[in-house]
Amino acid sequence: MEELEPDERDMRVGAPKREAAGLPAVAASLRHATSQMGPTRALRSLLKVNQQGGFDCPGCAWPEPGQPHTAEFCENGVKAIAEEATRRRVTPAFFAEHPISELLTRSEHWLGQQGRLTEPVVKRSGSDHYEPLRWDEAFALVADELRGLDQPDQAVFYTSGRTSNEAAFLYQLFARAYGTNNLPDCSNMCHESSGAALNETIGVGKGNVQLSDLEDTDLIFVVGQNPGTNHPRMLATLERAKDNGARIIAVNPLPEAGLLKFNNPQRVSGMLGSGTDLADRFLQIRINGDLALFKALNAALLDAEDAAPGTVLDHDYIRDHTDGFETFAARARDVDGRTTALATGLSADDIDATVREVVAADRIVVCWAMGMTQHRNSVATIREVVNFLLLRGNLGRPGTGVCPVRGHSNVQGDRTMGIYEKMPAWFLDALRDEFAFDPPRDHGLDTVDAIRSLRDGRAEVFVAMGGNFVAATPDTAVTEAAMRRARLTVQVSTKLNRSHLVTGDQALILPTLGRTDRDVQAGGPQMVTVEDSMSTVHGSRGHLSPPSSALRSEVAIVCGLARATLAGRDGLDGIDWAGFETDYDRIRDAIGRVVPGFGSFNTRVRAPGGFTLPNASRERGRLATASGTARFSTNELEVIERPPGRLLLQTVRSHDQYNTTIYGLDDRYRGVKAGRRVVFVHAEDLTDLGFADGEVVDLVGEWHDGTERRAREFRCVAYPTARGCAAAYFPETNVLVPLDSTAETSNTPTSKSIVIRLERRPPGARSTAL
């Protein structure tokens, strides 16, 4: 199947919407489902998604309620399922017809629309084509390259969030048995800042709320998050919270439709357009203003306690369950109103009104996503959020807590399974005891450091379990040059993407089963498991016949690679790769002996709804912090200097995409149709900068070392974003994010705070994009 590339000169831009879902979402879902799957296949799939005995949605990680609705899916979930369960196929004939050099000129959307990969293929050294090869040949090629390296740390093993618990556990086991901790993952680029801050302050790098906490609380902050596009089923949870009397404060530079009003398509009122107003208060904050906001709120709470002692702070909780309060309080009052206004763009009245809401609420939950995690000061910001919750005892009791909303399905589970370059000693000890070998102890490479290592020639083999590494990572030109220096790049994938085209000297594409595909091994039909954003683990069983008999499961691919690579290695006889491939229950038995909270894994995961992993911070007992209690911290505020004539850019998703997968070219809620190369700028900023709505410009990123990066040909869209701010879609604008511009502590790329200028296209400049 081939389609013509769309011409973005046909792009149309209208007014942004002020409500989400409803009948338009239903219509879009049906259109995507039937066009890719056909009506019968679509119906079968949608009745199985997120159901007991069915498959877990390959989209986001939002949890299912205790009693899932018959239609427990959202518009973007339908798009994800349609992409995977499509009837379109990419066969060896496709690669014979299309050289890699030609495919490099195609868009991510076009590549993804070609369909499911069907057979393993290889790009030989010097070739411009992929050609088919047998699985044993593919495994042997990888094994020869890995065994030929001078040291194991010259290999990188990357993981995308879609990988199942079973495959992730075996993948990290393979890498460590091979001899390296180079296990970067997509979490390095999104919620690494959350994990770093929460591990330090509450002893676990995950959220500690359940759906019941959100549904029965008094006040919910939704910060730097667009659930209407990125986690649409969250809107139903927020609606139930509103039904129960909660108030919602949305904090965002953009007025996202899903936070303003939700027309629930599972309610008659929603289908008729008379849905639920969600945000009671919209704080339109400037980009990177969240730390200043929470510091101002905390200072105001301390002042309010001083004015009325014993009425604002929870002194019993602070005394019994926290440490560091005195040091924090001594410095927290040092907040300058002018600096707060400069950083946030909010008025003193905005802050005061928010403080009154906080004081009136007995129970508070703070939710956030990448709008808060991809800045230089993200870890400090999240620590300040924890301070905010600790002051009034909003941790460790029902209706309270931290809720970092993870994106990709099972990105959290992969980390639990050991996909991390810095796993603690107790985990490595448990691997040693279970499999009778001593794993490497030196820390490995995260995503940014892996790119640096490939760039500098220190890493020579790159293996990716899913994902689209080249498109997802920062500093596109640097990353692509780094990948091309590798001796071998290996991609385990379901569909074609740009990472298959930006390759090492040799390259392999190993096609794998998706969530919707039936997985049958020598031991019979198999189930995999995933962990959602609230730490609930449940099973997933595909139901469709695979697109090709040549496909192998992720588990089978890992086991095949491991057997070929580690054959004959001393001290690795304790790993039964063949047994794991035959029967996934054996993998889960091993996980149960290695990973805390997974005892009796096979029994518990087969119970309706699965089981929820323990999290000490849900209770008011001893935490896994240095002090055994929740920790106050002090966090310095630095306001990003934005020179005159510049804007602060955040990269965002369109409503027709999920991560780097581009489902279509519309962003319905923001009023964009048939195009992606747009930059959203406040109308007054456009006027002040001398540009017009609709004008085509280059975006030029400026970094403090004097270097510039350019993203060409973006249409200016006058949009009600915060003043001084701009937004544009990734991956098109990842080229503007310097590789070395990362968050302190977490090393996450700063994709949400990029200083740019708009530059007019020269007269007569050749158009390449619009």
Side-chain angles (χ1 to χ4, degrees), residues 434-770:
E434 175 67 17
F435 296 108
F437 79 98
D438 196 17
R441 302 288 167 151
D442 292 339
H443 289 171
L445 302 174
D446 64 12
T447 292
V448 167
D449 284 335
I451 297 170
R452 291 169 176 154
S453 189
L454 287 160
R455 176 196 64 191
D456 298 339
R458 290 179 281 114
E460 299 185 8
V461 173
F462 178 87
V463 184
M465 184 60 63
N468 185 358
F469 186 84
V470 164
T473 45
D475 219 341
T476 307
V478 172
T479 297
E480 292 193 354
M483 294 297 285
R484 290 189 168 104
R485 292 201 64 182
R487 284 169 39 179
L488 173 68
T489 51
V490 182
Q491 306 285 341
V492 180
S493 306
T494 58
K495 300 191 75 178
L496 193 63
N497 63 51
R498 187 168 179 82
S499 293
H500 302 132
L501 312 176
V502 179
T503 72
D505 184 50
Q506 297 187 89
L508 283 168
I509 303 175
L510 304 181
T512 189
L513 298 177
R515 291 273 179 83
T516 57
D517 298 326
R518 191 179 301 115
D519 184 352
V520 180
Q521 302 298 328
Q526 302 298 317
M527 170 186 73
V528 295
T529 64
V530 297
E531 177 186 343
D532 66 30
S533 194
M534 293 182 180
S535 302
T536 295
V537 180
H538 56 271
S540 179
R541 293 180 183 270
H543 68 291
L544 298 175
S545 296
S548 163
S549 61
L551 297 191
R552 296 199 179 185
S553 71
E554 293 174 324
V555 166
I557 292 171
V558 173
C559 290
L561 290 171
R563 286 197 300 271
T565 303
L566 305 177
R569 290 272 294 267
D570 293 336
L572 297 177
D573 296 337
I575 307 176
D576 183 11
W577 298 107
F580 288 150
E581 181 178 349
T582 298
D583 184 358
Y584 298 179
D585 278 359
R586 298 184 186 184
I587 308 171
R588 287 185 283 271
D589 285 340
I591 292 171
R593 293 186 291 268
V594 171
V595 184
F598 282 84
S600 302
F601 191 177
N602 277 304
T603 299
R604 295 163 65 207
V605 80
R606 285 176 166 86
F611 63 94
T612 301
L613 295 172
N615 184 325
S617 69
R618 291 195 195 106
E619 309 293 335
R620 291 193 166 180
R622 183 171 180 82
L623 304 183
T625 60
S627 63
T629 60
R631 312 197 72 183
F632 280 94
S633 59
T634 56
N635 304 291
E636 297 299 323
L637 175 62
E638 294 183 7
V639 180
I640 294 178
E641 295 289 339
R642 182 171 55 86
R646 274 54 175 177
L647 299 167
L648 201 56
L649 175 78
Q650 61 173 330
T651 67
V652 297
R653 295 175 183 161
S654 159
H655 192 63
D656 261 2
Q657 78 176 91
Y658 197 80
N659 295 338
T660 58
T661 301
I662 312 301
Y663 304 133
L665 300 177
D666 297 346
D667 191 352
R668 188 172 72 249
Y669 294 150
R670 298 191 183 108
V672 177
K673 188 171 182 61
R676 290 184 51 82
R677 301 186 78 85
V678 296
V679 57
F680 300 103
V681 183
H682 196 282
E684 294 180 22
D685 285 328
L686 281 177
T687 299
D688 291 348
L689 294 171
F691 295 93
D693 179 39
E695 188 170 355
V696 177
V697 300
D698 286 353
L699 311 182
V700 183
E702 301 179 347
W703 202 39
H704 63 74
D705 67 353
T707 59
E708 294 185 347
R709 291 160 176 80
R710 186 177 296 265
R712 299 182 186 278
E713 296 182 71
F714 282 71
R715 174 174 168 171
C716 293
V717 175
Y719 199 83
T721 186
R723 291 295 308 272
C725 301
Y729 304 133
F730 70 84
E732 290 86 347
T733 48
N734 286 354
V735 65
L736 300 173
V737 186
L739 181 65
D740 295 327
S741 180
T742 60
E744 295 173 323
T745 307
S746 70
N747 209 30
T748 296
T750 59
S751 301
K752 293 294 185 288
S753 48
I754 310 160
V755 175
I756 66 164
R757 70 176 186 271
L758 308 183
E759 192 169 284
R760 190 166 277 107
R761 301 281 295 164
R766 181 173 177 268
S767 175
T768 59
L770 288 170

Side-chain angles (χ1 to χ4, degrees), residues 292 294-310 312-313 315 318 324-340 384 387 391 632-637:
F294 280 96
K295 286 181 71 70
L297 294 178
N298 289 339
L301 290 174
L302 291 170
D303 289 343
E305 174 67 17
D306 290 344
V312 178
L313 304 188
H315 290 284
I318 292 170
F325 173 73
E326 290 78 10
T327 301
F328 159 78
R331 300 180 61 180
R333 292 178 174 84
D334 186 20
V335 171
D336 175 66
R338 294 178 62 185
T339 302
T340 299
E384 198 67 30
N387 289 340
L391 284 173
F632 280 94
S633 59
T634 56
N635 304 291
E636 297 299 323
L637 175 62

